[in-house]
Amino acid sequence: MIENLSDEHRAAILSSALEQIADSVMITDTSGVIKYVNDSFEVVTGYTREEAIGQRASLVKSGKHSEIFYRSLWATLRAGRPFRHVFINRRKGGAIYHEAKTITPVRDKDGDITHFVATGRDVSERVETESRLERLAYTDSLTGLPNRQRFLELVRDALEQSVDTGSNARFAVLFLDMDGFKAVNDSFGHFAGDHLLGEVAERLGELIREPDVLARLGGDEFAILLHDVGDATPVAADAQRILDAFRPPFDVSGVATYVDASIGIALAPDHGTEVFTLIKHADTAMYRAKKHGGSYCFFEPEMTASVHEQFNLRNGLYRALERGELSLDYQPQIDLTDGSVRAVEALLRWCHPRFGVVSPELFVPVLEDIGLIHEVGRWVVREACQQLRTWWAARVPVPMVAVNVSPLQLEDPEFVDSVVDAVQRFGLPPAALELELVETANLAVLDKVEAGIRRLESVGVRLALDDFGTGFSAFSHLSRFPVHGLKIDRDFVAGISALASNESLIEGIMAVAEKLGLDVVAEGIETADQLVRLQQLGCKCGQGFYFCAPSAPDVIREFMQRQAPLLRTMVSGGDGEVQLRPSAAG
């Protein structure tokens, strides 16, 4: 037993143990002057005994620890308590290493502290592994930017710092969502999409100044943390600079490609003093900005009501079809040369049990967003075809029914199958069904839906472009694809007498349609003056409240049976006027 040995023998054993122990050992006096180091110390630090003894323990100091850290260290030791920490030290050659060290005070027989013994182990490899794992956990692998988790922590730190200092310093959270990214992925593939995200991250990174932060939250969403912003003015300027960075094209697979961005902004503490509140408000503002495209928007409290409205719409739509809340109204399309009915357009309606009639402009985008547009779209086609068959069985002279469809529906092979099935199930000639695609949405993705369009053409279903002229119309598509008709947007018709440009656009559309053998229907005719001017411009078909509002099937049946003679008087310029004006909203 070591306690039975002589002091000299015991000292020899302890000395030998200190020399052979794997841990680094350093003994200093109470002022920090090194009195002893073992072999492991020499191996770890690169300093020999001769170089170390007589120097202060700060010999291996790296400068990576703060003065507060060292004050805490000495306060603990002088109180007679051990101090444990992972130190960041520096080797003789200048290399940084991490050492898990315990410094223990040594007392004499009187209880006075005479020395400090520091034992440590080089844990650089472990720290590097932990650091690498942390970087993986907090870094977006595609762009190298901080990821969502890291961004949330940085926002939380900014909030805590603001509270701790009592400064209530304002900072801004910007949410950025790219507009047009899905089209790049669809056209060029996901590898090209990833390349584009890398280019965007690089371009935005050049605009971000220290200590501000750019992060990628996932998909095509980025976030920016702007510190010490003062008021909203510099934030608006920064947001505009970011939007301007999207103006030059990006190189995607050798093709100059243009994408926009929408930015939502929340200011702290004005718009929230909690992390997720700020994030939610910036996200809400971003969706408001997205409605305008390529713009930025600050959060406003009234936006919250809009978000709740969207939530209620989403929830309600999931059950609307099975609860029988959806229905179709119909509006006749009138031949402006003889007053006959060319077709009726089926228009989707939703009567919510709490909110009443909901505008299609509100709920149709939500249907697309939550993916229900496919199920509801198939139902609309079946319902419209069944109604047309019912009218025919009752000898109501409705030649054709037109149905609005989204390009998203034509991307779905099951939708095309459902159209074919519907006309066959109800024994209709395929040409008795016309699908109307919104021009502003369709032409951008026409290539993608080409297969569906071609298949519908092969079975004889007609295709028309709705709201023609409101988007970036590619007239070459009209000859390339099997389009049978165009619908002139109601905004052009509304200003037909006041704006010469509207008349010129209508004349241009009709000239192109005539060359290509396409039918033209003018929407939104509400006055006799509009009707007369359209006739003078050569338009041969129209629809609107001047003839009949969108109405239930029974009302349309009555319209067809009792009001048709008056239509001939109306389009011929007589004084007759249809008295049946259903009040359903158009």
Side-chain angles (χ1 to χ4, degrees), residues 37 127 132 196 211 214 265 274 284 290 301 462 492 494 532 535:
V37 296
V127 170
R132 186 165 58 251
L196 173 59
L214 169 68
I265 306 169
E274 194 274 331
T284 298
K290 209 169 185 65
R462 293 171 54 89
F492 295 146
V532 171
Q535 289 174 320

Side-chain angles (χ1 to χ4, degrees), residues 12-24:
I13 292 175
L14 292 176
S15 176
S16 177
L18 288 175
E19 291 300 327
Q20 297 179 49
I21 193 171
D23 291 352
S24 166

